[in-house]
Amino acid sequence: MAINYENIPSPCFVLDKSRLIGNLELMNRVQKESGASIILAFKGFAMWSVFPTVRQYLSGATASSLSEARLCFEEMKSKAHTYSPAYLPEEFDEILSYSSHITFNSLKQAETYKDRVMSSPDKVSMGLRVNPGWSDVETMLYNPSAPGSRLGVSDEELSNGLPDYIEGLHFHVLCESPSESLVKVLESFEKLYGKYLGRVKWVNFGGGHLMTKKGYNVELLIDTIRKFKEKYPHLEVILEPGSAAAWDTGVLVSRVLDIVERKGVKTAILDVSFTAHMPDTLEMPYRPRIIGAGDPTEGKPTYKLGGVSCLAGDYMHEYSFDKELNIGDKVIFEDMIHYTMVKTTTFNGITHPSIAIWEKDNSLNVVKEFGYEDFRDRLS
C-alpha cells in the first residue's frame, strides 16, 4: 500500500520501511553472490532508528569523523571503517577505539599516526586512500579525481613504494554511477597500483555504486567483483555505498503557505527550504521529482516553488501541476532520504522537518521532532 500523505504532519521526511528492506535485500544478494563485503556509508544515510533493520543485511559502516565512528559503534553495533582527509590529533585515540580499519589520505598522515595505531590495544588495520586517476563524475564539486584533488595519494607519491604497515588500499571516485564505470575505474586502478595488490589484505572500492536504481546492471557488478577476486583471491573486497541503501525509499512532505504572483510568475511558497532541507538541489544541482507535477506544460497550472528561508536563491524553477495549488495543499518531493537528512541545517531558524517511518503495517511512526532547542543548542 502506498503512503497515505493526508494525515502526515508537514514538514516531514518519511521513510518507507518496505522500500528500504527491498534495497537492502538486493545489496545483500550482491554481497553473497560476489563475495564482497558491503557496508553502509553514513555520509549518505545515517538514520539510526532503522539501523536494527540495516544490520540484518549489511556487515557494518564507514565513518569520516569521530561522531560517525561513535554512531557506528553505538547504533550499528560494529566498529567502523574510518577515513578522513585529516584527523584531529586530540580525537584520534578515541576514533581508534571505535574503528576496525583506519584509512589515511596522505603518506604524511599515515606516518604521523602509525605508531599510535600499532600501540593501540585493538588490532586496527591501516589503509591508504589512492587516486585511481579516472572518474565519471561530471560535477566538479563531487568529483574526487578532479585535477589537483586533495583526496587520495597519487601513484607518483609512491615512488619509494607502499609503506610496510599499510594493509589496504581505498579509492572512492564514483557518485551514483553505473557498474560500467566501476569496470573503467578498476582498469585504471590496477594499472597504477596493481603492483601492490599482491601484498595488501583488502581493497575498498568506495561508494557511488547505485545498484538499487532501476536499470543498473547488477549482474555486471557481481561479475566484475568476482573476476577481481579470482585474480587476487587473498584480498577482501569492500564496497561502501550510501545512496544505494536509501535510494527512492521516501519523501519530504511539505505544504503551501502562500501563493504570490509577480510579473506573471506564480510562486507557491512552501514550509520547507531548498537551501536548508534539500541542499543538493542547489549544489549538485538537480531537479527533484514531485508527485502530481512535472516540467512546465502549456495549459497546466504552473508555479515556481519558493522555500521559506529569506535566501533569494531558495527556490526551484517552474513545475506544472495536475491541478491548481491552494494554500494548505501538500507538495510531496520524492526520493528525499539519501544525502538529504544528513545535510540539512537550521538556517534562519526555520522549522526542521520531522523524521518518520511508514511501517510495513501501513502505520506512521514519527521518530523525531525538532524545536527551538535544536536551533539554539547548535549555536552559542
Side-chain angles (χ1 to χ4, degrees):
M1 180 178 174
I3 297 175
N4 180 357
Y5 300 111
E6 291 303 315
N7 296 323
I8 294 176
S10 177
C12 187
F13 290 108
V14 186
L15 173 81
D16 188 326
K17 187 82 163 286
S18 294
R19 290 189 181 187
L20 174 67
I21 291 172
N23 284 353
L24 293 171
E25 287 175 341
L26 187 145
M27 295 170 75
N28 193 36
R29 179 200 151 202
V30 171
Q31 194 167 228
K32 289 180 176 179
E33 294 185 15
S34 70
S37 298
I38 298 182
I39 59 179
L40 176 65
F42 285 169
K43 65 181 178 180
F45 181 62
M47 187 175 171
W48 55 267
S49 57
V50 294
F51 283 1
T53 298
V54 173
R55 62 176 179 255
Q56 293 177 36
Y57 300 90
L58 304 185
S59 57
T62 180
S64 295
S65 65
L66 172 57
S67 292
E68 284 190 342
R70 180 174 175 178
L71 187 71
C72 182
F73 184 76
E74 293 185 352
E75 302 298 339
M76 277 290 282
K77 311 299 182 185
S78 66
K79 291 197 171 184
H81 292 238
T82 306
Y83 159 79
S84 176
Y87 293 99
L88 277 64
E90 62 272 21
E91 294 182 350
F92 191 77
D93 289 339
E94 189 176 358
I95 285 177
L96 271 185
S97 72
Y98 299 134
S99 303
S100 61
H101 297 64
I102 191 124
T103 297
F104 299 100
N105 187 60
S106 71
L107 292 170
K108 185 179 293 183
Q109 281 267 297
E111 188 64 26
T112 296
Y113 291 110
K114 68 178 178 65
D115 290 340
R116 289 166 72 170
V117 179
M118 291 176 175
S119 62
S120 171
D122 299 315
K123 174 59 177 172
V124 181
S125 184
M126 283 185 280
L128 192 68
R129 178 167 177 168
V130 296
N131 187 337
W134 187 91
S135 175
D136 66 344
V137 180
E138 295 180 354
T139 303
M140 285 299 103
L141 183 66
Y142 292 86
N143 185 357
S145 284
S149 173
R150 77 189 196 286
L151 303 176
V153 173
S154 67
D155 60 313
E156 292 93 343
E157 294 175 73
L158 296 175
S159 58
N160 293 325
L162 192 69
D164 292 340
Y165 54 84
I166 295 296
E167 296 184 338
L169 296 178
H170 175 194
F171 64 80
H172 186 148
V173 291
L174 301 179
C175 179
E176 298 182 0
S177 302
S179 49
E180 290 80 2
S181 295
L182 176 61
V183 174
K184 293 181 180 179
V185 171
L186 281 178
E187 289 175 359
S188 183
F189 170 72
E190 287 190 76
K191 182 178 180 181
L192 296 177
Y193 305 100
K195 56 182 170 290
Y196 306 120
L197 296 180
R199 75 164 191 79
V200 295
K201 296 179 179 180
W202 52 268
V203 175
N204 188 323
F205 288 5
H209 314 277
L210 196 49
M211 62 190 78
T212 53
K213 182 181 180 180
K214 186 177 180 180
Y216 183 96
N217 191 339
V218 176
E219 302 307 324
L220 178 60
L221 174 65
I222 293 170
D223 185 61
T224 300
I225 297 171
R226 278 177 174 170
K227 288 178 178 176
F228 185 87
K229 286 182 67 66
E230 286 172 3
K231 290 174 68 175
Y232 311 102
H234 65 288
L235 286 178
E236 179 187 10
V237 173
I238 304 159
L239 279 68
E240 51 179 42
S243 292
W247 185 261
D248 214 7
T249 57
V251 300
L252 174 57
V253 176
S254 70
R255 72 185 189 275
V256 179
L257 299 178
D258 195 10
I259 296 175
V260 298
E261 185 170 357
R262 309 268 161 77
K263 294 188 180 296
V265 177
K266 288 184 179 180
T267 301
I269 299 178
L270 310 177
D271 62 352
V272 294
S273 165
F274 296 96
T275 186
H277 304 147
M278 299 171 272
D280 273 359
T281 63
L282 304 181
E283 291 177 0
M284 188 66 176
Y286 81 95
R287 185 173 171 84
R289 305 192 319 267
I290 295 174
I291 294 175
D295 291 335
T297 303
E298 188 174 352
K300 280 191 167 187
T302 300
Y303 306 84
K304 186 163 74 171
L305 300 180
V308 76
S309 84
C310 68
L311 183 72
D314 189 4
Y315 70 89
M316 284 284 108
H317 288 289
E318 286 85 352
Y319 286 80
S320 287
F321 286 76
D322 294 337
K323 60 181 181 179
E324 294 278 353
L325 289 179
N326 296 296
I327 293 173
D329 284 352
K330 295 281 180 66
V331 175
I332 313 298
F333 294 89
E334 297 188 275
D335 196 19
M336 280 291 153
I337 302 300
H338 64 93
Y339 278 101
T340 304
M341 286 189 290
V342 293
K343 298 181 78 171
T344 58
T345 72
T346 57
F347 173 65
N348 252 184
I350 56 181
T351 300
H352 192 288
S354 301
I355 299 174
I357 301 170
W358 186 259
E359 301 285 359
K360 294 178 69 177
D361 64 359
N362 296 316
S363 64
L364 182 71
N365 176 17
V366 179
V367 296
K368 177 72 174 178
E369 293 179 296
F370 298 85
Y372 165 70
E373 291 78 9
D374 298 288
F375 168 67
R376 181 198 63 195
D377 291 347
R378 66 184 302 273
L379 302 171
S380 61

